[in-house]
Amino acid sequence: MVVHMDRSVFFDAVRGELFKGEMTHPQVVGVTAILDAWEERFSHADWRWLAYILATAYHETAYTMQPVRETLAQSDARAVEILETAFAAGRLSWVKTPYWRPDEDGRCWLGRGLVQLTHKRNYEAMSTLTGIDLVADPDRAMEMDAAVTILIDGMLQGSFTGHKLADHLNEATEDWVNARRIVNGTDRAEKLAAYAMAFHAAMRPNAAHGLIARLKAWGARVIARLTL
């Protein structure tokens, strides 16, 4: 039996826990697009997966819940400029090859979408997944339908790093912290865990949302210190 989420309760809860009491129209639109896609295709799946997907979009888009370009720039040129400045200053020490620099065709493979899709090989893989030629036009990864598909399917299938949602959230395991490995190693893993648990608490109308989210966030921090 499929149990449908009470969206009014859900939005009331996340508005208070994650959006400082108020959500903009674009934030509501973005969350709704993810919920709609999930219910249409994965309504029998684990709600913890959906919670972590929402948390990832929340973090990767700087809380806007809209597909964005890396650095939040309004153009590729400006994003490249910002990234080049940061790279030259040594603030991107983990980057060996600047992936954002335009290739021979003038296309940039910098981050775009609800989860920051980078590198040409990933745009090629997601072209197959979405049925959209993202190599010919990388900016199409910022279209909402494409961005939602990349976010959800990519995390379910392990397209980004080889880790997938079922590896960390399953019948035997509930590892909110290391679920970050699905997208980006352990970067800000504790924060993502807390966000995801807050989204998950909001999906259950009988949960004491704020208290449960805060207690689980504290537990995640403890686990992180022991395991990371």
Side-chain angles (χ1 to χ4, degrees):
M1 180 180 70
V2 178
V3 178
H4 292 285
M5 183 192 309
D6 185 327
R7 292 200 186 185
S8 63
V9 171
F10 172 80
F11 274 103
D12 284 346
V14 298
R15 188 178 293 111
E17 287 291 334
L18 292 160
F19 293 94
K20 300 181 179 180
E22 184 176 358
M23 293 179 71
T24 65
H25 178 67
Q27 286 171 329
V28 173
V29 168
V31 172
T32 299
I34 294 170
L35 296 180
D36 287 349
W38 182 266
E39 289 192 356
E40 180 180 351
R41 299 178 56 210
F42 305 107
S43 58
H44 288 85
D46 194 325
W47 277 8
R48 294 175 300 175
W49 298 353
L50 173 59
Y52 203 87
I53 286 167
L54 286 162
T56 297
Y58 177 78
H59 175 74
E60 298 280 321
T61 67
Y63 323 126
T64 67
M65 306 307 293
Q66 288 290 306
V68 295
R69 185 180 283 102
E70 190 172 1
T71 76
L72 305 182
Q74 294 302 306
S75 69
D76 287 355
R78 178 56 181 152
V80 169
E81 181 182 356
I82 293 170
L83 289 165
E84 287 288 359
T85 299
F87 186 65
R91 295 197 299 272
L92 303 177
S93 58
W94 60 90
V95 175
K96 300 298 185 288
T97 302
Y99 55 85
W100 55 81
R101 291 175 179 168
D103 64 12
E104 62 276 7
D105 296 316
R107 298 188 182 98
C108 298
W109 308 108
L110 48 78
R112 297 178 179 85
L114 292 167
V115 57
Q116 294 295 287
L117 186 65
T118 59
H119 295 90
K120 185 176 181 179
R121 63 181 180 275
N122 291 322
Y123 279 84
E124 290 170 341
M126 291 303 159
S127 293
T128 300
L129 188 68
T130 61
I132 298 170
D133 190 349
L134 301 174
V135 175
D137 188 357
D139 276 347
R140 293 201 64 187
M142 292 177 60
E143 294 176 3
M144 183 61 80
D145 287 348
V148 170
T149 298
I150 291 167
L151 172 72
I152 294 177
D153 289 75
M155 294 184 72
L156 285 171
Q157 296 179 24
S159 302
F160 306 121
T161 66
H163 288 252
K164 56 184 180 293
L165 286 160
D167 293 335
H168 302 284
L169 299 166
N170 53 57
E171 291 183 2
T173 303
E174 187 170 294
D175 190 345
W176 296 101
V177 174
N178 282 298
R180 180 59 174 157
R181 297 180 187 276
I182 298 163
V183 173
N184 193 8
T186 57
D187 177 62
R188 295 172 175 79
E190 287 186 47
K191 284 188 175 183
L192 268 291
Y195 300 154
M197 287 185 286
F199 276 115
H200 189 231
M203 295 174 186
R204 295 165 293 152
N206 295 324
H209 307 306
L211 177 61
I212 288 177
R214 284 190 289 273
L215 285 174
K216 285 193 170 183
W218 173 82
R221 288 193 292 273
V222 172
I223 293 170
R225 284 195 293 271
L226 293 174
T227 61
L228 293 183

